[in-house]
Amino acid sequence: MGNLTVVRVKALKEPGRYSDGDGLLLVVRESGAKSWLWRGQANGKRRDIGLGSYPDVSLAEARDKAAATRKQMRAGDDPVEAKRAAKKAAATIPTFRAAAGMVHAEREGDWRNDKHKAQWINTLTTYAFPAIGDRPIDKVTSGDVRDLLVPIWQSKPETARRVLQRIGKVLDWGYAKGHCAGEAPMRSIRAGLNRQTKKPEHFASLPHDQVAALMVKLATSDTAGRLALRFLILTAARSGEVRGATWDEIGDGIWTVPAECGSAWKRDPVSGVIGVEKGPLILVF
């Protein structure tokens, strides 16, 4: 049984500290405000631990909290150090925006070209950062991701899927780094989104017998786009390979596309026969 009673706690007005026993104190301040304090020792150090304000925390609740604190101390845990460690850990957890920047930097060698590199972070900047950019990465939930995707899930399906995939990369990084605990939220996001109904619309192909006329028309102007299209038709390369080509890839009538960008085939300069090989794409023209 403690020294204090419910009636006495309510009646006390004189500033000071009033002991209930076993380290539990009622602190009465000059302003009349009252609060609970537990005083004890952990690892040879005195600890004063606040247990809440009165009357928000009643006498019975303060005793329960004091008992739990004593038990924690006997187990060898220091509540003050634990609180400090938790604050320090929270301070080191990056926001989603900062985490995305670190993932983007770590993937430096993954990009085919500067355009792809910029697109990766730009989609997150446009669609993810306004909603979750400033939120600690461990606080991003599946509901947060779902809600930011809903406005574009049907109207911009391809963009939405890319945003989802890139958010997943950032969250996976957070779990791998130990910033997040529990189960990754990405697994439940698709279940909360409707099936996409908009199908991609591809440009119609040009019949082979009309290509010559198109080349003549393209030759009437030497804009970058027309030159690139003529180059693409003549080399039968992919559009991404053409758009990402650099001058150091071309020399003496040979265009060597790096292996990470091109297809694994080669055209024989004499016979014109195309064969499969491992390595960069080599076009002779």
Side-chain angles (χ1 to χ4, degrees), residues 64-77:
D64 289 341
K65 287 188 174 185
T69 302
R70 287 194 300 272
K71 183 177 180 180
Q72 187 177 2
M73 290 289 198
R74 286 196 298 270
D77 297 330

Side-chain angles (χ1 to χ4, degrees), residues 8-22:
R8 190 180 179 208
V9 169
K10 184 176 181 180
L12 282 171
K13 305 292 184 184
E14 187 69 22
R17 297 187 175 192
Y18 301 87
S19 175
D20 185 57
D22 292 329

